[in-house]
């Protein structure tokens, strides 16, 4: 039996969605973030030393890191579903986006979250204007331009085909969804990106996405 070690409001929601798309049976072990630090509870480190989500166990196999979890599940159980044919141009795009999502797109979105917190976290009153000024400079000169560059790129890519890796929906769309949902929550993705907004509408309407939400529980991305 596949067990998804599911942290609330996290990347592991994507794995529930993938399993629903593949129609596989699985169980969920739920973990709650610490309400102040937002970190995962220490119990998750018993599953994998980094204690981050997603991580799955399947018999005596443990797989962490969302791209690796997705590759494991589609390779082991997909029977060719949700992956473009080997050797095709779509497969190269698929592999690129599987890595781009966590390797490139998520980095400035995480920095935005951290710098927003720097501005609002408790500190001596005289330090706040300095902290705010540094944070706003970093966001204005680096973080937001990076996020916009990534969104512009993804918007243009969706002009080439219906989905990110061709005209068929693939697991790369699932992998990219978290960066796009995080961009909608905190990175300026709105009506200014019509193709990306429509992409979010299309994935949220998928029955498997809805079923994963029902099983995973409340899903609200950190702002
Ligand atoms: N690149 C990793 C990122 C894993 C990650 O940072 N997960 C977050 C949840 S979205 C987490 O576990 N945060 C809680 C913590 O680090 O304690 C992946 O894609 O799996």
């Amino acid at each position: 039996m596949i067990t998804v070690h599911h942290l609330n409001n996290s990347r592991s929601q994507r794995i529930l969605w993938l399993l629903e798309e593949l129609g596989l049976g699985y169980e969920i072990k739920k973990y709650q973030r610490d309400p102040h630090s937002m970190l995962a509870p220490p119990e998750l480190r018993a599953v994998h030393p980094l204690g981050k989500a997603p991580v799955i166990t399947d018999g005596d196999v443990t797989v962490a890191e969302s791209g690796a979890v997705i590759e494991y599940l589609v390779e082991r159980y997909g029977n060719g579903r949700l992956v473009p044919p080997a050797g095709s141009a779509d497969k190269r795009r698929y592999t690129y986006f599987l890595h781009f999502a966590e390797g490139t797109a998520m980095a400035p979105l995480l920095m935005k979250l951290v710098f927003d917190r720097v501005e609002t976290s408790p500190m001596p009153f005289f330090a706040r204007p300095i902290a705010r000024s540094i944070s706003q400079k970093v966001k204005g000169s680096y973080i937001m331009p990076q996020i916009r560059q990534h969104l512009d790129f993804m918007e243009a890519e969706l002009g080439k085909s219906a989905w990110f890796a061709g005209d068929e929906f693939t697991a790369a769309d699932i992998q990219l969804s978290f960066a796009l949902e995080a961009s909608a929550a905190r990175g300026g993705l709105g009506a200014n990106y019509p193709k990306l907004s429509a992409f979010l509408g299309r994935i949220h309407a998928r029955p498997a996405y809805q079923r994963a939400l029902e099983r995973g529980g409340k899903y609200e991305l950190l702002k």
Side-chain angles (χ1 to χ4, degrees), residues 7 9-11 14 33 38-40 51-54 65-67 102 178:
L7 182 67
N9 301 329
S10 85
R11 287 160 167 90
R14 279 182 300 198
R33 289 179 186 270
M38 301 316 286
L39 293 175
K52 292 183 185 298
E65 193 63 49
S66 39
E102 288 295 328
F178 190 79

Side-chain angles (χ1 to χ4, degrees), residues 105-106 109 144 147 150-151 154 176-190 196 200 221:
M106 280 312 295
L109 288 162
M144 291 314 293
I147 293 175
H150 298 161
L151 290 175
M154 287 187 275
L176 275 169
S177 65
F178 190 79
L180 291 172
E181 287 174 337
S183 300
R186 68 180 95 114
L189 196 178
L196 295 177
L200 286 176
L221 285 199

Side-chain angles (χ1 to χ4, degrees), residues 4 8 15 19 24 44 71 75 85-86 88 135-136 166 188 208 223:
V4 181
N8 62 314
I15 304 306
L19 288 161
L24 297 173
L44 201 48
E71 283 200 282
E75 264 172 45
S88 64
S135 165
Q136 287 177 357
K223 287 198 179 126

Side-chain angles (χ1 to χ4, degrees), residues 185-197:
R186 68 180 95 114
L189 196 178
N192 45 342
Y193 290 100
K195 291 198 171 66
L196 295 177
S197 299

Side-chain angles (χ1 to χ4, degrees), residues 2-223:
I2 299 165
T3 302
V4 181
H5 298 269
H6 177 54
L7 182 67
N8 62 314
N9 301 329
S10 85
R11 287 160 167 90
S12 49
Q13 188 63 39
R14 279 182 300 198
I15 304 306
L16 306 182
W17 176 24
L18 172 65
L19 288 161
E20 291 292 340
E21 291 281 355
L22 291 172
L24 297 173
Y26 62 97
E27 62 179 28
I28 304 178
K29 186 150 187 253
K30 291 189 177 171
Y31 301 78
Q32 291 294 317
R33 289 179 186 270
D34 178 285
H36 299 293
S37 69
M38 301 316 286
L39 293 175
E43 300 92 88
L44 201 48
R45 276 186 238 138
V47 186
H48 184 278
L50 296 185
K52 292 183 185 298
V55 56
I56 62 160
T57 45
D58 183 16
D60 56 4
V61 174
T62 301
V63 190
E65 193 63 49
S66 39
V69 174
I70 288 175
E71 283 200 282
Y72 171 81
L73 290 173
V74 293
E75 264 172 45
R76 174 111 202 238
Y77 298 107
N79 292 320
R81 288 172 297 161
L82 301 184
V83 187
S88 64
D90 284 346
K91 178 68 192 294
R92 286 191 291 279
R93 282 166 63 80
Y94 171 89
T95 305
Y96 171 76
F97 281 117
L98 214 56
H99 291 274
F100 166 84
E102 288 295 328
T104 298
M106 280 312 295
L109 288 162
L110 179 63
M111 288 178 76
K112 168 89 174 22
L113 188 68
V114 171
F115 277 88
D116 282 347
R117 299 247 153 145
V118 164
E119 287 179 41
T120 53
S121 57
M123 66 185 82
F125 73 94
F126 53 84
R128 188 171 299 285
I130 301 166
R132 193 172 282 161
S133 155
I134 293 171
S135 165
Q136 287 177 357
K137 266 204 187 88
V138 178
K139 285 196 283 186
S141 64
Y142 179 72
I143 297 174
M144 291 314 293
Q146 286 280 305
I147 293 175
R148 275 195 296 274
Q149 186 196 41
H150 298 161
L151 290 175
D152 290 348
F153 167 65
M154 287 187 275
E155 177 80 9
E157 287 296 297
L158 270 191
K160 297 178 181 170
S161 52
W163 298 99
F164 280 102
D167 285 324
E168 301 292 329
F169 174 80
T170 70
D173 298 299
I174 296 178
Q175 172 76 333
L176 275 169
S177 65
F178 190 79
L180 291 172
E181 287 174 337
S183 300
R186 68 180 95 114
L189 196 178
N192 45 342
Y193 290 100
K195 291 198 171 66
L196 295 177
S197 299
F199 173 89
L200 286 176
R202 284 188 288 150
I203 62 169
H204 293 161
R206 290 179 78 86
Y209 186 98
Q210 292 295 330
R211 286 196 299 276
L213 277 188
E214 274 160 36
R215 286 205 58 186
K218 192 162 152 246
Y219 177 53
E220 261 175 25
L221 285 199
L222 307 179
K223 287 198 179 126

